[in-house]
Amino acid sequence: MEDSSLGLFAQVLAPPNCSPPLPAHILLLKLVPVTFWPPDVFLSQFKFLWNQDSQTDSGAEGGDRGDVPTEETPAGTGSSGSPPGSGGSSEGFSLQASTDSTGQEWVGAHLDEDGDLDVVRRPRAASEPKPAGPPRDKVHPMILMQEEDDILGDEAQEGSTRDVIKIEHTMATPLEDVGKQVWRGALFLADYILFQWDLFQGCTVLELGAGTGLVSIVAATVAQTVYCTDVGADLLAMCQRNVALNSHLTASGGGVVKVRELDWLKDDLCTDPDVLFSWSEEDISDLYNHTTILLAAEVFYDDDLTDALFKTLCRLAHRLKNACTAILSVEKRLNFTLSHLDVTCEAYDHFRSSLYQLEKLEDCQLRFAVEPVEASFPQRLAYERIQQLELWKIFVEPVTSPITSASTAP
């Protein structure tokens, strides 16, 4: 048996010359270290759907299920009790009238010579409805060979326009490296930024838990400065490469992306000049004096980290000079848990509880207001927008009048 989180392989052993054999419930385990190769790195091209104004793919309306052909149930099974000739289709199961020993007429299916049910299926082309909209643009990852100068070739270089964003990422990672993957929630939040571009126009933005940097790059197409933050030198280096890959998107609007380290478990920013991606005094001054928007996409998968993020939000909000708005994306993931013996959404439930506690927080300096965002805005990136994707806004404003308690009220 294998435990990838520990990097160990457990072998079941029995002592030599063991006679009689050990009982079945007595096992000796030897842990053998196993070397795990790092996951392959991919470079994916995500296409902007600039010309598809009618494509909203609202999560509230069932996502984009209408664009995905579903396998049709054989005809005849969907209208139980419909006799032949009554208007119900009879193409699927070939039905015939028979009589049992009591003289009652009944409807049965054709059987083959062995007595098995003989099902006649429609041709697939005839059974599939035509998609309501244009065919979905798919993402085709390519293995990234970092030692090559011209990774994508001339043809892909010509496609480096406003229609494509290129992201270096992995497809699967251990839990501690989930930031190296591209998650739907990041694409969902990027869609909202492209829809509400006037909200970000000329602003200073801080993204927490930026991962591959996709959201920060999209924000920088309209914002003035984006601080793209996370932890881990290798992840931040990947993020920096993605910023460089998409400089064609941010250069036109004059936006700047600054990749920096920000650890939610630490109260202060790293200012050590010998540490990669540390903060300069100029950065910190700009961050606190000008930031008005905070972003976080798909970072609510662990209760401890969720608590740390909300504490970081509160700490930053008290240090920012201006009122700010935090925009959070989350995917409601259903999991079966042994503790409940049921399907639950524990990480999502903890996220919602944290939102509630933040809104009820008694703070003499700041007021936090929480509201959901209607998921009816247009889809500008090619991905599967599902119902479980949600956006939440947190409005942070200074308290303009002292809060009067019941005991001191006249």
Side-chain angles (χ1 to χ4, degrees), residues 139-391:
V139 175
H140 301 286
M142 298 175 292
I143 291 289
L144 176 63
M145 305 299 293
Q146 295 188 22
E147 65 272 14
E148 296 181 7
D149 292 332
D150 187 10
I151 299 170
L152 299 175
D154 295 337
E155 181 179 353
Q157 291 291 344
E158 293 176 1
S160 296
T161 65
R162 63 191 293 270
D163 295 328
V164 172
I165 180 171
K166 299 187 289 289
I167 295 295
E168 178 183 330
H169 64 99
T170 58
M171 298 295 288
T173 62
L175 186 61
E176 61 269 18
D177 287 331
V178 292
K180 295 180 180 179
Q181 300 183 51
V182 177
W183 298 95
R184 272 189 295 249
L187 296 161
F188 189 52
L189 181 52
D191 267 343
Y192 183 75
I193 294 171
L194 295 171
F195 172 65
Q196 291 281 8
W197 62 270
D198 54 334
L199 177 66
F200 297 82
Q201 187 81 38
C203 291
T204 297
V205 178
L206 169 64
E207 184 184 5
L208 301 170
T212 61
L214 185 147
V215 173
S216 289
I217 292 168
V218 172
T221 61
V222 288
Q224 180 177 346
T225 304
V226 179
Y227 289 97
C228 176
T229 69
D230 215 310
V231 292
D234 55 341
L235 175 58
L236 292 171
M238 173 184 283
C239 191
Q240 186 69 70
R241 290 192 295 271
N242 285 332
V243 172
L245 282 170
N246 295 280
S247 58
H248 60 284
L249 293 174
T250 58
S252 59
V256 176
V257 181
K258 296 184 178 182
V259 180
R260 296 291 183 266
E261 178 185 295
L262 197 157
D263 191 338
W264 307 342
L265 302 178
K266 297 179 180 179
D267 292 339
D268 298 318
L269 303 175
C270 177
T271 57
D272 186 348
D274 295 330
V275 176
L276 291 174
F277 307 107
S278 61
W279 296 76
S280 67
E281 294 299 330
E282 182 183 356
D283 290 336
I284 296 176
S285 176
D286 179 54
L287 175 72
Y288 291 154
N289 290 331
H290 300 108
T291 299
T292 55
I293 296 177
L294 293 87
L295 305 172
E298 281 276 41
V299 295
F300 308 101
Y301 55 89
D302 177 88
D303 291 355
D304 292 335
L305 289 178
T306 297
D307 293 341
L309 173 65
F310 277 94
K311 289 179 181 177
T312 300
L313 279 175
C314 290
R315 184 170 62 250
L316 289 170
H318 282 87
R319 296 177 181 177
L320 297 181
K321 182 179 179 180
N322 301 304
C324 64
T325 302
I327 307 173
L328 315 177
S329 76
V330 62
E331 181 176 335
K332 185 178 181 180
R333 290 186 171 85
L334 304 173
N335 297 294
F336 181 84
T337 60
L338 291 176
S339 58
H340 296 87
L341 292 179
D342 198 0
V343 176
T344 62
C345 310
E346 291 186 320
Y348 173 81
D349 292 341
H350 188 77
F351 165 75
R352 291 293 303 271
S353 175
S354 299
L355 284 177
Y356 178 80
Q357 293 174 16
L358 181 65
E359 192 169 30
K360 299 302 180 183
L361 181 66
E362 293 185 1
D363 191 309
C364 60
Q365 297 178 340
L366 297 176
R367 179 182 293 111
F368 298 88
V370 177
E371 70 175 34
V373 177
E374 179 65 34
S376 57
F377 47 90
Q379 182 168 346
R380 297 301 188 189
L381 287 162
Y383 66 99
E384 183 183 11
R385 185 184 285 190
I386 61 177
Q387 284 182 317
Q388 289 74 27
L389 290 170
E390 295 182 2
L391 278 184

Side-chain angles (χ1 to χ4, degrees), residues 393-410:
K393 278 186 177 181
I394 302 174
F395 300 97
V396 185
E397 297 179 346
V399 176
T400 56
S401 59
I403 299 177
T404 304
S405 64
S407 59
T408 60

Side-chain angles (χ1 to χ4, degrees), residues 12-14 18 20-29:
V12 180
L13 304 176
C18 179
L22 288 174
H25 64 279
I26 298 179
L27 298 176
L28 299 180
L29 298 180

Side-chain angles (χ1 to χ4, degrees), residues 47-65:
K47 186 176 181 182
F48 289 105
L49 309 176
W50 298 115
N51 297 324
Q52 299 185 20
D53 294 333
S54 61
Q55 182 176 359
T56 58
D57 283 358
S58 169
E61 297 177 0
D64 48 8
R65 296 174 184 173

